[in-house]
Amino acid sequence: MAISYDASRVTLVDHPLVQHKLSILRDVHTGTQQFRHLVRELAIFEGYEAMRDLPLESCEVQTPVAPATCKRLAGRKLAVVPILRAGLGMVDGLLELAPAARVGHIGMERDGVTHEPREYYCKMPRDIDQRTVLIVDPMLATGGSAVMAVDALRARGVTNLKMLCLVAAPEGLSALLGHDPDLHVYACAIDDRLNEKAYIVPGLGDAGDRIFGTL
Ligand code: PRP
Ligand code: URA
């Protein structure tokens, strides 16, 4: 039976450059250095889309030619929250887009047998509830890790929350969107399914191991 989820709450970032880079990322022959570089680049493309609704305010600028009424970012500030380890690979790209963003960390590890996540670390900026928060993790598989991260942030009062992954499984989208009715997810690809080890098929393997060279 097809797995269902609310597709209106998923933005597929499928720019041709994204699809090209994702194909290289998936390739089993792509080494750690290039893999890491591509994850960072893809995070920039995805972050660009995820920040599309940031509020603007008017400002006056004197150009070399004339005064100009322009726009600058206004209102709520950003925080990026990587799910360790693999999410770390997306942080630098997002900080290039939003250098003033704060970074919270949440450590999560899936059990090899049950595939259930276990939280082992959590450190958030004190004013996290005042910020628009982007949770980042390249892989959304069963959705268990993302659900746990969302719960940790909601418990800290975060209201404006988005999830950025590179590859999502339908199972993970269904679990995550079903769990949190206000969440929006960004993905570069939605793959076919999970295998018996709860790995995404075709996916790209173990993202953390490929980023950090711990294969
Ligand atoms: C991977 C991945 C996600 C999680 C996705 O992390 O980076 O955090 O699994 O799976 P889920 O949607 O089924 O929860 P992993 O637990 O392998 O840890 P790592 O990043 O340290 O390798
Ligand atoms: N975690 C990964 O890194 N890859 C998968 O396919 C599933 C979970």
Side-chain angles (χ1 to χ4, degrees):
M1 201 173 63
I3 292 162
S4 65
Y5 55 86
D6 181 355
S8 71
R9 291 165 55 210
V10 182
T11 298
L12 189 60
V13 182
D14 59 356
H15 189 284
L17 287 172
V18 169
Q19 295 191 50
H20 176 80
K21 288 172 190 294
L22 190 57
S23 300
I24 305 170
L25 193 74
R26 289 183 190 277
D27 191 329
V28 68
H29 301 296
T30 297
T32 296
Q33 189 178 348
Q34 192 181 13
F35 192 92
R36 201 181 284 154
H37 185 75
L38 287 163
V39 167
R40 184 180 157 283
E41 281 188 322
L42 287 165
I44 294 175
F45 284 107
E46 204 168 49
Y48 180 78
E49 282 304 325
M51 294 179 202
R52 187 176 281 284
D53 61 356
L54 288 180
L56 293 169
E57 64 185 13
S58 284
C59 63
E60 300 303 319
V61 170
Q62 178 68 46
T63 81
V65 178
T69 300
C70 301
K71 302 278 189 194
R72 67 179 170 209
L73 292 171
R76 293 232 243 184
K77 298 188 171 69
L78 278 173
V80 178
V81 175
I83 301 179
L84 309 184
R85 290 174 300 164
L88 286 173
M90 298 174 68
V91 173
D92 283 354
L94 290 164
L95 291 181
E96 229 163 88
L97 294 177
R102 299 294 190 262
V103 181
H105 293 86
I106 186 155
M108 217 81 86
E109 191 170 37
R110 290 200 322 179
D111 182 276
V113 176
T114 66
H115 315 304
E116 292 291 325
R118 176 184 68 86
E119 184 182 315
Y120 59 84
Y121 185 77
C122 190
K123 183 91 177 176
M124 295 295 155
R126 205 175 316 141
D127 63 349
I128 191 81
D129 58 326
Q130 307 298 313
R131 292 176 180 268
T132 293
V133 177
L134 308 179
I135 303 175
V136 297
D137 190 330
M139 309 307 279
L140 181 68
T142 66
S145 305
V147 162
M148 206 176 247
V150 165
D151 283 350
L153 289 159
R154 294 289 191 214
R156 287 168 172 77
V158 174
T159 54
N160 201 344
L161 190 56
K162 299 177 181 199
M163 170 82 202
L164 277 62
C165 59
L166 300 185
V167 182
E171 291 89 337
L173 288 171
S174 180
L176 184 57
L177 294 170
H179 183 75
D180 189 302
D182 297 321
L183 193 71
H184 196 92
V185 178
Y186 295 79
C188 296
I190 301 169
D191 277 11
D192 298 342
R193 62 185 174 86
L194 298 178
N195 67 14
E196 62 290 350
K197 292 182 175 165
Y199 271 76
I200 301 174
V201 180
L204 48 74
D206 189 307
D209 281 346
R210 295 194 69 184
I211 290 170
F212 295 107
T214 49
L215 283 166

